[in-house]
Amino acid sequence: GAGVSQSPRYKVAKRGQDVALRCDPISGHVSLFWYQQALGQGPEFLTYFQNEAQLDKSGLPSDRFFAERPEGSVSTLKIQRTQQEDSAVYLCASSLRAGNTEAFFGQGTRLTVV
Amino acid sequence: AQSVAQPEDQVNVAEGNPLTVKCTYSVSGNPYLFWYVQYPNRGLQFLLKYITGDNLVKGSYGFEAEFNKSQTSFHLKKPSALVSDSALYFCAVRDGRNTGFQKLVFGTGTRLLVSP
């Protein structure tokens, strides 16, 4: 597609429920990032993929968070046993390659844990 | 570790007047600097970047930014503001010490409000 696509746009989960957020990057983009944006804050880095390899997951807040990109294109961010503090907008971005190229962001998935 | 400071939560400007949104950064190596804009219920849109070269960078929608190494600043500017420029603006920095992966670190954002 023309841009980064994320689904669902909105997700309401009961506390303790598992959720899966999907990201379709721009075709041909090597790098893929996940960010978490809390209300009133800037995006915070979660994890990075170069093709199918997850090169950095230092930003994942706990072992309840898991991300994968098995074929080097679509990525899924999974959150197990959701907690209220997980409520945020989850942004996916892709860039043509690592280094000095700009990243293009999707519209995000707004997760609300009740 | 790199960091970004956007000292103003909100900037108010009248349409037609020049605008400046401030950003200062801290990074160990050479900075790669970016500005993004976020409209309500929309993702971040890339405006411009500084990697190397001229300190004055021109970007989308008439925006420009000036890199100042001595002041570690990268302020966003526009000569004449439009009401449609009202949005949330984020400055971001990446450590350019190598060409491999370096995460983008964002500021907390500045809300720009342009009044008619």
Side-chain angles (χ1 to χ4, degrees), chain A residues 9-10 33 35 37 42-43 45 48 56 98-103 105-107, chain B residues 32 36 38 41 43-44 46 49 51 90 94 99-101 103-104 106-107:
Chain A
R9 288 290 317 280
Y10 304 92
F33 310 82
Y35 283 81
Q37 186 176 18
F45 170 78
Y48 164 73
D56 190 330
N100 62 8
T101 55
E102 61 270 26
F105 283 79
Q107 291 182 290
Chain B
Y32 291 171
Y36 285 83
Q38 188 173 39
N41 298 315
L44 294 166
F46 169 76
K49 67 180 179 183
I51 303 299
F90 289 97
R94 174 184 290 160
T99 57
F101 165 70
K103 64 185 178 185
L104 265 180
F106 286 85

PDB file of all heavy atoms in Angstrom, chain A residues 9-10 33 35 37 42-43 45 48 56 98-103 105-107, chain B residues 32 36 38 41 43-44 46 49 51 90 94 99-101 103-104 106-107:
ATOM      1  N   ARG A   9      -7.764  -0.055  14.511  1.00  0.00           N
ATOM      2  CA  ARG A   9      -7.514   1.341  14.895  1.00  0.00           C
ATOM      3  C   ARG A   9      -7.783   1.556  16.371  1.00  0.00           C
ATOM      4  O   ARG A   9      -7.109   2.339  17.033  1.00  0.00           O
ATOM      5  CB  ARG A   9      -8.400   2.274  14.073  1.00  0.00           C
ATOM      6  CG  ARG A   9      -8.017   2.416  12.616  1.00  0.00           C
ATOM      7  CD  ARG A   9      -6.705   3.193  12.417  1.00  0.00           C
ATOM      8  NE  ARG A   9      -6.583   4.377  13.246  1.00  0.00           N
ATOM      9  CZ  ARG A   9      -7.154   5.537  12.985  1.00  0.00           C
ATOM     10  NH1 ARG A   9      -7.901   5.693  11.906  1.00  0.00           N
ATOM     11  NH2 ARG A   9      -6.972   6.567  13.786  1.00  0.00           N
ATOM     12  N   TYR A  10      -8.778   0.870  16.878  1.00  0.00           N
ATOM     13  CA  TYR A  10      -9.146   0.987  18.291  1.00  0.00           C
ATOM     14  C   TYR A  10      -9.370  -0.421  18.841  1.00  0.00           C
ATOM     15  O   TYR A  10      -9.921  -1.274  18.168  1.00  0.00           O
ATOM     16  CB  TYR A  10     -10.434   1.815  18.456  1.00  0.00           C
ATOM     17  CG  TYR A  10     -10.354   3.188  17.852  1.00  0.00           C
ATOM     18  CD1 TYR A  10     -10.768   3.416  16.543  1.00  0.00           C
ATOM     19  CD2 TYR A  10      -9.842   4.258  18.585  1.00  0.00           C
ATOM     20  CE1 TYR A  10     -10.681   4.671  15.981  1.00  0.00           C
ATOM     21  CE2 TYR A  10      -9.750   5.516  18.028  1.00  0.00           C
ATOM     22  CZ  TYR A  10     -10.166   5.713  16.723  1.00  0.00           C
ATOM     23  OH  TYR A  10     -10.080   6.963  16.166  1.00  0.00           O
ATOM     24  N   PHE A  33       9.643  -0.344  13.175  1.00  0.00           N
ATOM     25  CA  PHE A  33       9.728   0.075  14.579  1.00  0.00           C
ATOM     26  C   PHE A  33       8.340   0.022  15.212  1.00  0.00           C
ATOM     27  O   PHE A  33       7.344   0.298  14.557  1.00  0.00           O
ATOM     28  CB  PHE A  33      10.206   1.531  14.677  1.00  0.00           C
ATOM     29  CG  PHE A  33      11.441   1.855  13.891  1.00  0.00           C
ATOM     30  CD1 PHE A  33      11.378   2.139  12.534  1.00  0.00           C
ATOM     31  CD2 PHE A  33      12.673   1.920  14.507  1.00  0.00           C
ATOM     32  CE1 PHE A  33      12.512   2.456  11.797  1.00  0.00           C
ATOM     33  CE2 PHE A  33      13.812   2.242  13.792  1.00  0.00           C
ATOM     34  CZ  PHE A  33      13.731   2.507  12.445  1.00  0.00           C
ATOM     35  N   TYR A  35       6.440   1.862  18.560  1.00  0.00           N
ATOM     36  CA  TYR A  35       6.510   2.874  19.599  1.00  0.00           C
ATOM     37  C   TYR A  35       5.219   2.854  20.405  1.00  0.00           C
ATOM     38  O   TYR A  35       4.153   2.500  19.900  1.00  0.00           O
ATOM     39  CB  TYR A  35       6.682   4.275  18.994  1.00  0.00           C
ATOM     40  CG  TYR A  35       8.081   4.584  18.504  1.00  0.00           C
ATOM     41  CD1 TYR A  35       8.520   4.140  17.262  1.00  0.00           C
ATOM     42  CD2 TYR A  35       8.970   5.319  19.292  1.00  0.00           C
ATOM     43  CE1 TYR A  35       9.806   4.410  16.830  1.00  0.00           C
ATOM     44  CE2 TYR A  35      10.257   5.606  18.854  1.00  0.00           C
ATOM     45  CZ  TYR A  35      10.660   5.148  17.624  1.00  0.00           C
ATOM     46  OH  TYR A  35      11.932   5.419  17.188  1.00  0.00           O
ATOM     47  N   GLN A  37       2.820   5.459  22.677  1.00  0.00           N
ATOM     48  CA  GLN A  37       2.588   6.867  22.970  1.00  0.00           C
ATOM     49  C   GLN A  37       1.483   6.988  24.007  1.00  0.00           C
ATOM     50  O   GLN A  37       0.308   6.766  23.710  1.00  0.00           O
ATOM     51  CB  GLN A  37       2.224   7.647  21.703  1.00  0.00           C
ATOM     52  CG  GLN A  37       2.119   9.145  21.935  1.00  0.00           C
ATOM     53  CD  GLN A  37       1.860   9.933  20.660  1.00  0.00           C
ATOM     54  OE1 GLN A  37       1.442   9.384  19.645  1.00  0.00           O
ATOM     55  NE2 GLN A  37       2.109  11.232  20.696  1.00  0.00           N
ATOM     56  N   GLY A  42       5.347  12.083  24.172  1.00  0.00           N
ATOM     57  CA  GLY A  42       5.912  11.725  22.889  1.00  0.00           C
ATOM     58  C   GLY A  42       6.022  10.221  22.766  1.00  0.00           C
ATOM     59  O   GLY A  42       5.951   9.488  23.756  1.00  0.00           O
ATOM     60  N   PRO A  43       6.178   9.728  21.555  1.00  0.00           N
ATOM     61  CA  PRO A  43       6.343   8.279  21.365  1.00  0.00           C
ATOM     62  C   PRO A  43       7.593   7.757  22.068  1.00  0.00           C
ATOM     63  O   PRO A  43       8.638   8.400  22.046  1.00  0.00           O
ATOM     64  CB  PRO A  43       6.470   8.136  19.850  1.00  0.00           C
ATOM     65  CG  PRO A  43       5.855   9.374  19.284  1.00  0.00           C
ATOM     66  CD  PRO A  43       6.161  10.451  20.281  1.00  0.00           C
ATOM     67  N   PHE A  45      10.159   4.426  22.293  1.00  0.00           N
ATOM     68  CA  PHE A  45      10.614   3.268  21.528  1.00  0.00           C
ATOM     69  C   PHE A  45      10.319   1.966  22.268  1.00  0.00           C
ATOM     70  O   PHE A  45      10.552   1.846  23.480  1.00  0.00           O
ATOM     71  CB  PHE A  45      12.115   3.397  21.275  1.00  0.00           C
ATOM     72  CG  PHE A  45      12.759   2.173  20.695  1.00  0.00           C
ATOM     73  CD1 PHE A  45      12.636   1.880  19.352  1.00  0.00           C
ATOM     74  CD2 PHE A  45      13.487   1.309  21.504  1.00  0.00           C
ATOM     75  CE1 PHE A  45      13.236   0.755  18.809  1.00  0.00           C
ATOM     76  CE2 PHE A  45      14.098   0.186  20.977  1.00  0.00           C
ATOM     77  CZ  PHE A  45      13.969  -0.088  19.624  1.00  0.00           C
ATOM     78  N   TYR A  48      12.664  -2.864  17.465  1.00  0.00           N
ATOM     79  CA  TYR A  48      13.080  -2.602  16.088  1.00  0.00           C
ATOM     80  C   TYR A  48      13.390  -3.914  15.369  1.00  0.00           C
ATOM     81  O   TYR A  48      14.028  -4.807  15.942  1.00  0.00           O
ATOM     82  CB  TYR A  48      14.316  -1.716  16.097  1.00  0.00           C
ATOM     83  CG  TYR A  48      15.073  -1.676  14.789  1.00  0.00           C
ATOM     84  CD1 TYR A  48      14.554  -0.988  13.701  1.00  0.00           C
ATOM     85  CD2 TYR A  48      16.301  -2.325  14.642  1.00  0.00           C
ATOM     86  CE1 TYR A  48      15.230  -0.950  12.501  1.00  0.00           C
ATOM     87  CE2 TYR A  48      16.985  -2.289  13.437  1.00  0.00           C
ATOM     88  CZ  TYR A  48      16.454  -1.590  12.373  1.00  0.00           C
ATOM     89  OH  TYR A  48      17.120  -1.552  11.182  1.00  0.00           O
ATOM     90  N   ASP A  56      16.608  -5.001  18.323  1.00  0.00           N
ATOM     91  CA  ASP A  56      16.584  -4.259  19.582  1.00  0.00           C
ATOM     92  C   ASP A  56      15.190  -4.382  20.174  1.00  0.00           C
ATOM     93  O   ASP A  56      14.216  -4.031  19.519  1.00  0.00           O
ATOM     94  CB  ASP A  56      16.947  -2.788  19.351  1.00  0.00           C
ATOM     95  CG  ASP A  56      17.178  -2.010  20.639  1.00  0.00           C
ATOM     96  OD1 ASP A  56      16.555  -2.340  21.660  1.00  0.00           O
ATOM     97  OD2 ASP A  56      17.968  -1.047  20.615  1.00  0.00           O
ATOM     98  N   ALA A  98      18.078   1.146   7.456  1.00  0.00           N
ATOM     99  CA  ALA A  98      18.571   1.713   8.707  1.00  0.00           C
ATOM    100  C   ALA A  98      19.408   2.949   8.381  1.00  0.00           C
ATOM    101  O   ALA A  98      19.745   3.204   7.233  1.00  0.00           O
ATOM    102  CB  ALA A  98      19.412   0.683   9.451  1.00  0.00           C
ATOM    103  N   GLY A  99      19.717   3.704   9.406  1.00  0.00           N
ATOM    104  CA  GLY A  99      20.584   4.855   9.201  1.00  0.00           C
ATOM    105  C   GLY A  99      19.842   6.161   9.148  1.00  0.00           C
ATOM    106  O   GLY A  99      18.961   6.412   9.963  1.00  0.00           O
ATOM    107  N   ASN A 100      20.135   6.987   8.158  1.00  0.00           N
ATOM    108  CA  ASN A 100      19.662   8.357   8.192  1.00  0.00           C
ATOM    109  C   ASN A 100      18.354   8.607   7.471  1.00  0.00           C
ATOM    110  O   ASN A 100      17.954   9.741   7.289  1.00  0.00           O
ATOM    111  CB  ASN A 100      20.733   9.275   7.616  1.00  0.00           C
ATOM    112  CG  ASN A 100      21.034   8.955   6.157  1.00  0.00           C
ATOM    113  OD1 ASN A 100      20.349   8.157   5.524  1.00  0.00           O
ATOM    114  ND2 ASN A 100      22.052   9.591   5.611  1.00  0.00           N
ATOM    115  N   THR A 101      17.679   7.550   7.072  1.00  0.00           N
ATOM    116  CA  THR A 101      16.405   7.758   6.387  1.00  0.00           C
ATOM    117  C   THR A 101      15.293   7.993   7.396  1.00  0.00           C
ATOM    118  O   THR A 101      15.324   7.465   8.502  1.00  0.00           O
ATOM    119  CB  THR A 101      16.042   6.562   5.508  1.00  0.00           C
ATOM    120  OG1 THR A 101      16.052   5.376   6.319  1.00  0.00           O
ATOM    121  CG2 THR A 101      17.018   6.403   4.376  1.00  0.00           C
ATOM    122  N   GLU A 102      14.309   8.776   6.964  1.00  0.00           N
ATOM    123  CA  GLU A 102      13.206   9.067   7.861  1.00  0.00           C
ATOM    124  C   GLU A 102      12.277   7.868   7.962  1.00  0.00           C
ATOM    125  O   GLU A 102      12.180   7.042   7.061  1.00  0.00           O
ATOM    126  CB  GLU A 102      12.414  10.294   7.375  1.00  0.00           C
ATOM    127  CG  GLU A 102      11.776  10.151   6.015  1.00  0.00           C
ATOM    128  CD  GLU A 102      12.710  10.605   4.906  1.00  0.00           C
ATOM    129  OE1 GLU A 102      13.942  10.563   5.092  1.00  0.00           O
ATOM    130  OE2 GLU A 102      12.202  10.990   3.833  1.00  0.00           O
ATOM    131  N   ALA A 103      11.588   7.776   9.091  1.00  0.00           N
ATOM    132  CA  ALA A 103      10.605   6.724   9.314  1.00  0.00           C
ATOM    133  C   ALA A 103       9.217   7.262   9.000  1.00  0.00           C
ATOM    134  O   ALA A 103       8.911   8.421   9.274  1.00  0.00           O
ATOM    135  CB  ALA A 103      10.672   6.247  10.761  1.00  0.00           C
ATOM    136  N   PHE A 105       5.191   6.729   9.683  1.00  0.00           N
ATOM    137  CA  PHE A 105       4.361   6.170  10.749  1.00  0.00           C
ATOM    138  C   PHE A 105       2.962   5.819  10.268  1.00  0.00           C
ATOM    139  O   PHE A 105       2.394   6.502   9.405  1.00  0.00           O
ATOM    140  CB  PHE A 105       4.237   7.167  11.900  1.00  0.00           C
ATOM    141  CG  PHE A 105       5.459   7.242  12.768  1.00  0.00           C
ATOM    142  CD1 PHE A 105       6.574   7.952  12.372  1.00  0.00           C
ATOM    143  CD2 PHE A 105       5.492   6.583  13.984  1.00  0.00           C
ATOM    144  CE1 PHE A 105       7.710   8.006  13.159  1.00  0.00           C
ATOM    145  CE2 PHE A 105       6.617   6.644  14.792  1.00  0.00           C
ATOM    146  CZ  PHE A 105       7.727   7.351  14.379  1.00  0.00           C
ATOM    147  N   GLY A 106       2.403   4.778  10.861  1.00  0.00           N
ATOM    148  CA  GLY A 106       0.997   4.476  10.689  1.00  0.00           C
ATOM    149  C   GLY A 106       0.149   5.337  11.607  1.00  0.00           C
ATOM    150  O   GLY A 106       0.662   6.138  12.388  1.00  0.00           O
ATOM    151  N   GLN A 107      -1.176   5.161  11.497  1.00  0.00           N
ATOM    152  CA  GLN A 107      -2.097   5.972  12.294  1.00  0.00           C
ATOM    153  C   GLN A 107      -2.162   5.513  13.745  1.00  0.00           C
ATOM    154  O   GLN A 107      -2.671   6.228  14.588  1.00  0.00           O
ATOM    155  CB  GLN A 107      -3.488   5.943  11.674  1.00  0.00           C
ATOM    156  CG  GLN A 107      -3.556   6.677  10.339  1.00  0.00           C
ATOM    157  CD  GLN A 107      -4.961   6.664   9.778  1.00  0.00           C
ATOM    158  OE1 GLN A 107      -5.460   5.635   9.354  1.00  0.00           O
ATOM    159  NE2 GLN A 107      -5.604   7.821   9.782  1.00  0.00           N
TER     160      GLN A 107
ATOM    161  N   TYR B  32      21.343  13.230  14.163  1.00  0.00           N
ATOM    162  CA  TYR B  32      20.383  13.230  13.071  1.00  0.00           C
ATOM    163  C   TYR B  32      19.082  13.756  13.688  1.00  0.00           C
ATOM    164  O   TYR B  32      18.591  13.184  14.658  1.00  0.00           O
ATOM    165  CB  TYR B  32      20.152  11.832  12.501  1.00  0.00           C
ATOM    166  CG  TYR B  32      21.311  11.229  11.756  1.00  0.00           C
ATOM    167  CD1 TYR B  32      21.286   9.896  11.360  1.00  0.00           C
ATOM    168  CD2 TYR B  32      22.442  11.977  11.415  1.00  0.00           C
ATOM    169  CE1 TYR B  32      22.342   9.328  10.661  1.00  0.00           C
ATOM    170  CE2 TYR B  32      23.494  11.420  10.716  1.00  0.00           C
ATOM    171  CZ  TYR B  32      23.443  10.092  10.349  1.00  0.00           C
ATOM    172  OH  TYR B  32      24.487   9.530   9.656  1.00  0.00           O
ATOM    173  N   TYR B  36       8.415  16.003  13.224  1.00  0.00           N
ATOM    174  CA  TYR B  36       7.187  15.346  12.807  1.00  0.00           C
ATOM    175  C   TYR B  36       5.989  16.167  13.289  1.00  0.00           C
ATOM    176  O   TYR B  36       6.061  16.844  14.320  1.00  0.00           O
ATOM    177  CB  TYR B  36       7.084  13.936  13.402  1.00  0.00           C
ATOM    178  CG  TYR B  36       7.978  12.906  12.753  1.00  0.00           C
ATOM    179  CD1 TYR B  36       9.313  12.776  13.125  1.00  0.00           C
ATOM    180  CD2 TYR B  36       7.476  12.055  11.768  1.00  0.00           C
ATOM    181  CE1 TYR B  36      10.127  11.818  12.532  1.00  0.00           C
ATOM    182  CE2 TYR B  36       8.282  11.100  11.173  1.00  0.00           C
ATOM    183  CZ  TYR B  36       9.598  10.986  11.562  1.00  0.00           C
ATOM    184  OH  TYR B  36      10.398  10.041  10.967  1.00  0.00           O
ATOM    185  N   GLN B  38       1.698  15.882  14.130  1.00  0.00           N
ATOM    186  CA  GLN B  38       0.614  14.934  14.401  1.00  0.00           C
ATOM    187  C   GLN B  38      -0.703  15.683  14.467  1.00  0.00           C
ATOM    188  O   GLN B  38      -0.902  16.530  15.335  1.00  0.00           O
ATOM    189  CB  GLN B  38       0.874  14.189  15.707  1.00  0.00           C
ATOM    190  CG  GLN B  38      -0.089  13.047  15.976  1.00  0.00           C
ATOM    191  CD  GLN B  38       0.326  12.245  17.196  1.00  0.00           C
ATOM    192  OE1 GLN B  38       0.785  12.797  18.194  1.00  0.00           O
ATOM    193  NE2 GLN B  38       0.188  10.929  17.117  1.00  0.00           N
ATOM    194  N   ASN B  41      -6.091  12.192  15.661  1.00  0.00           N
ATOM    195  CA  ASN B  41      -6.451  10.863  15.138  1.00  0.00           C
ATOM    196  C   ASN B  41      -5.654  10.494  13.884  1.00  0.00           C
ATOM    197  O   ASN B  41      -6.122   9.687  13.079  1.00  0.00           O
ATOM    198  CB  ASN B  41      -7.948  10.779  14.851  1.00  0.00           C
ATOM    199  CG  ASN B  41      -8.773  10.971  16.106  1.00  0.00           C
ATOM    200  OD1 ASN B  41      -8.474  10.404  17.144  1.00  0.00           O
ATOM    201  ND2 ASN B  41      -9.799  11.796  16.012  1.00  0.00           N
ATOM    202  N   GLY B  43      -1.550   9.591  12.345  1.00  0.00           N
ATOM    203  CA  GLY B  43      -0.190   9.223  12.715  1.00  0.00           C
ATOM    204  C   GLY B  43       0.759  10.385  12.570  1.00  0.00           C
ATOM    205  O   GLY B  43       0.402  11.471  12.123  1.00  0.00           O
ATOM    206  N   LEU B  44       1.984  10.168  12.947  1.00  0.00           N
ATOM    207  CA  LEU B  44       3.022  11.181  12.791  1.00  0.00           C
ATOM    208  C   LEU B  44       3.390  11.336  11.326  1.00  0.00           C
ATOM    209  O   LEU B  44       3.607  10.350  10.627  1.00  0.00           O
ATOM    210  CB  LEU B  44       4.265  10.782  13.581  1.00  0.00           C
ATOM    211  CG  LEU B  44       4.121  10.741  15.100  1.00  0.00           C
ATOM    212  CD1 LEU B  44       5.288  10.005  15.725  1.00  0.00           C
ATOM    213  CD2 LEU B  44       4.036  12.144  15.648  1.00  0.00           C
ATOM    214  N   PHE B  46       6.123  13.031   8.675  1.00  0.00           N
ATOM    215  CA  PHE B  46       7.461  13.573   8.574  1.00  0.00           C
ATOM    216  C   PHE B  46       7.417  14.959   7.942  1.00  0.00           C
ATOM    217  O   PHE B  46       6.749  15.184   6.936  1.00  0.00           O
ATOM    218  CB  PHE B  46       8.309  12.631   7.717  1.00  0.00           C
ATOM    219  CG  PHE B  46       9.641  13.182   7.309  1.00  0.00           C
ATOM    220  CD1 PHE B  46      10.685  13.249   8.206  1.00  0.00           C
ATOM    221  CD2 PHE B  46       9.846  13.630   6.014  1.00  0.00           C
ATOM    222  CE1 PHE B  46      11.918  13.754   7.823  1.00  0.00           C
ATOM    223  CE2 PHE B  46      11.077  14.130   5.617  1.00  0.00           C
ATOM    224  CZ  PHE B  46      12.107  14.183   6.530  1.00  0.00           C
ATOM    225  N   LYS B  49      14.254  16.860   7.971  1.00  0.00           N
ATOM    226  CA  LYS B  49      15.347  16.239   8.713  1.00  0.00           C
ATOM    227  C   LYS B  49      16.645  16.989   8.447  1.00  0.00           C
ATOM    228  O   LYS B  49      16.825  17.617   7.394  1.00  0.00           O
ATOM    229  CB  LYS B  49      15.514  14.768   8.322  1.00  0.00           C
ATOM    230  CG  LYS B  49      15.984  14.567   6.891  1.00  0.00           C
ATOM    231  CD  LYS B  49      16.133  13.085   6.558  1.00  0.00           C
ATOM    232  CE  LYS B  49      16.577  12.900   5.107  1.00  0.00           C
ATOM    233  NZ  LYS B  49      16.674  11.459   4.732  1.00  0.00           N
ATOM    234  N   ILE B  51      20.665  15.923   8.490  1.00  0.00           N
ATOM    235  CA  ILE B  51      21.665  14.853   8.617  1.00  0.00           C
ATOM    236  C   ILE B  51      23.055  15.468   8.581  1.00  0.00           C
ATOM    237  O   ILE B  51      23.878  15.246   9.461  1.00  0.00           O
ATOM    238  CB  ILE B  51      21.503  13.806   7.505  1.00  0.00           C
ATOM    239  CG1 ILE B  51      20.077  13.229   7.517  1.00  0.00           C
ATOM    240  CG2 ILE B  51      22.541  12.700   7.646  1.00  0.00           C
ATOM    241  CD1 ILE B  51      19.702  12.524   8.801  1.00  0.00           C
ATOM    242  N   PHE B  90       6.457  17.295  17.029  1.00  0.00           N
ATOM    243  CA  PHE B  90       7.450  16.536  17.773  1.00  0.00           C
ATOM    244  C   PHE B  90       8.817  16.677  17.115  1.00  0.00           C
ATOM    245  O   PHE B  90       8.964  16.490  15.906  1.00  0.00           O
ATOM    246  CB  PHE B  90       7.091  15.047  17.814  1.00  0.00           C
ATOM    247  CG  PHE B  90       5.916  14.722  18.681  1.00  0.00           C
ATOM    248  CD1 PHE B  90       4.659  14.579  18.122  1.00  0.00           C
ATOM    249  CD2 PHE B  90       6.072  14.550  20.046  1.00  0.00           C
ATOM    250  CE1 PHE B  90       3.559  14.272  18.910  1.00  0.00           C
ATOM    251  CE2 PHE B  90       4.979  14.243  20.843  1.00  0.00           C
ATOM    252  CZ  PHE B  90       3.725  14.107  20.279  1.00  0.00           C
ATOM    253  N   ARG B  94      18.371  11.175  16.605  1.00  0.00           N
ATOM    254  CA  ARG B  94      19.003   9.866  16.516  1.00  0.00           C
ATOM    255  C   ARG B  94      20.503  10.087  16.560  1.00  0.00           C
ATOM    256  O   ARG B  94      21.008  11.048  15.991  1.00  0.00           O
ATOM    257  CB  ARG B  94      18.594   9.181  15.215  1.00  0.00           C
ATOM    258  CG  ARG B  94      19.292   7.867  14.921  1.00  0.00           C
ATOM    259  CD  ARG B  94      18.868   7.358  13.564  1.00  0.00           C
ATOM    260  NE  ARG B  94      17.491   6.905  13.553  1.00  0.00           N
ATOM    261  CZ  ARG B  94      16.773   6.783  12.440  1.00  0.00           C
ATOM    262  NH1 ARG B  94      17.289   7.096  11.276  1.00  0.00           N
ATOM    263  NH2 ARG B  94      15.540   6.365  12.492  1.00  0.00           N
ATOM    264  N   THR B  99      26.037   3.976  10.843  1.00  0.00           N
ATOM    265  CA  THR B  99      24.955   3.951   9.850  1.00  0.00           C
ATOM    266  C   THR B  99      23.947   2.850  10.124  1.00  0.00           C
ATOM    267  O   THR B  99      23.008   2.662   9.386  1.00  0.00           O
ATOM    268  CB  THR B  99      25.534   3.769   8.439  1.00  0.00           C
ATOM    269  OG1 THR B  99      26.306   2.564   8.422  1.00  0.00           O
ATOM    270  CG2 THR B  99      26.407   4.946   8.070  1.00  0.00           C
ATOM    271  N   GLY B 100      24.174   2.098  11.168  1.00  0.00           N
ATOM    272  CA  GLY B 100      23.231   1.048  11.490  1.00  0.00           C
ATOM    273  C   GLY B 100      22.058   1.576  12.268  1.00  0.00           C
ATOM    274  O   GLY B 100      21.752   2.758  12.261  1.00  0.00           O
ATOM    275  N   PHE B 101      21.422   0.686  12.973  1.00  0.00           N
ATOM    276  CA  PHE B 101      20.214   1.071  13.677  1.00  0.00           C
ATOM    277  C   PHE B 101      20.506   1.963  14.870  1.00  0.00           C
ATOM    278  O   PHE B 101      21.397   1.710  15.660  1.00  0.00           O
ATOM    279  CB  PHE B 101      19.476  -0.163  14.172  1.00  0.00           C
ATOM    280  CG  PHE B 101      18.441   0.179  15.197  1.00  0.00           C
ATOM    281  CD1 PHE B 101      17.295   0.869  14.825  1.00  0.00           C
ATOM    282  CD2 PHE B 101      18.615  -0.126  16.531  1.00  0.00           C
ATOM    283  CE1 PHE B 101      16.345   1.210  15.759  1.00  0.00           C
ATOM    284  CE2 PHE B 101      17.665   0.206  17.468  1.00  0.00           C
ATOM    285  CZ  PHE B 101      16.521   0.876  17.086  1.00  0.00           C
ATOM    286  N   LYS B 103      17.750   4.097  17.504  1.00  0.00           N
ATOM    287  CA  LYS B 103      16.349   4.442  17.707  1.00  0.00           C
ATOM    288  C   LYS B 103      16.160   5.952  17.709  1.00  0.00           C
ATOM    289  O   LYS B 103      17.055   6.722  18.055  1.00  0.00           O
ATOM    290  CB  LYS B 103      15.848   3.860  19.024  1.00  0.00           C
ATOM    291  CG  LYS B 103      16.534   4.440  20.253  1.00  0.00           C
ATOM    292  CD  LYS B 103      16.070   3.722  21.505  1.00  0.00           C
ATOM    293  CE  LYS B 103      16.776   4.263  22.735  1.00  0.00           C
ATOM    294  NZ  LYS B 103      16.427   3.502  23.947  1.00  0.00           N
ATOM    295  N   LEU B 104      14.965   6.363  17.296  1.00  0.00           N
ATOM    296  CA  LEU B 104      14.572   7.760  17.381  1.00  0.00           C
ATOM    297  C   LEU B 104      14.076   8.059  18.785  1.00  0.00           C
ATOM    298  O   LEU B 104      13.249   7.321  19.318  1.00  0.00           O
ATOM    299  CB  LEU B 104      13.422   8.041  16.415  1.00  0.00           C
ATOM    300  CG  LEU B 104      13.720   8.591  15.030  1.00  0.00           C
ATOM    301  CD1 LEU B 104      12.414   8.774  14.279  1.00  0.00           C
ATOM    302  CD2 LEU B 104      14.480   9.891  15.097  1.00  0.00           C
ATOM    303  N   PHE B 106      12.108  10.906  20.947  1.00  0.00           N
ATOM    304  CA  PHE B 106      11.203  12.029  20.724  1.00  0.00           C
ATOM    305  C   PHE B 106      11.121  12.937  21.944  1.00  0.00           C
ATOM    306  O   PHE B 106      11.292  12.510  23.091  1.00  0.00           O
ATOM    307  CB  PHE B 106       9.787  11.515  20.428  1.00  0.00           C
ATOM    308  CG  PHE B 106       9.627  10.934  19.059  1.00  0.00           C
ATOM    309  CD1 PHE B 106       9.948   9.611  18.805  1.00  0.00           C
ATOM    310  CD2 PHE B 106       9.130  11.706  18.016  1.00  0.00           C
ATOM    311  CE1 PHE B 106       9.791   9.067  17.536  1.00  0.00           C
ATOM    312  CE2 PHE B 106       8.972  11.174  16.744  1.00  0.00           C
ATOM    313  CZ  PHE B 106       9.304   9.855  16.508  1.00  0.00           C
ATOM    314  N   GLY B 107      10.822  14.199  21.665  1.00  0.00           N
ATOM    315  CA  GLY B 107      10.437  15.119  22.727  1.00  0.00           C
ATOM    316  C   GLY B 107       8.990  14.886  23.124  1.00  0.00           C
ATOM    317  O   GLY B 107       8.300  14.031  22.557  1.00  0.00           O
TER     318      GLY B 107
END
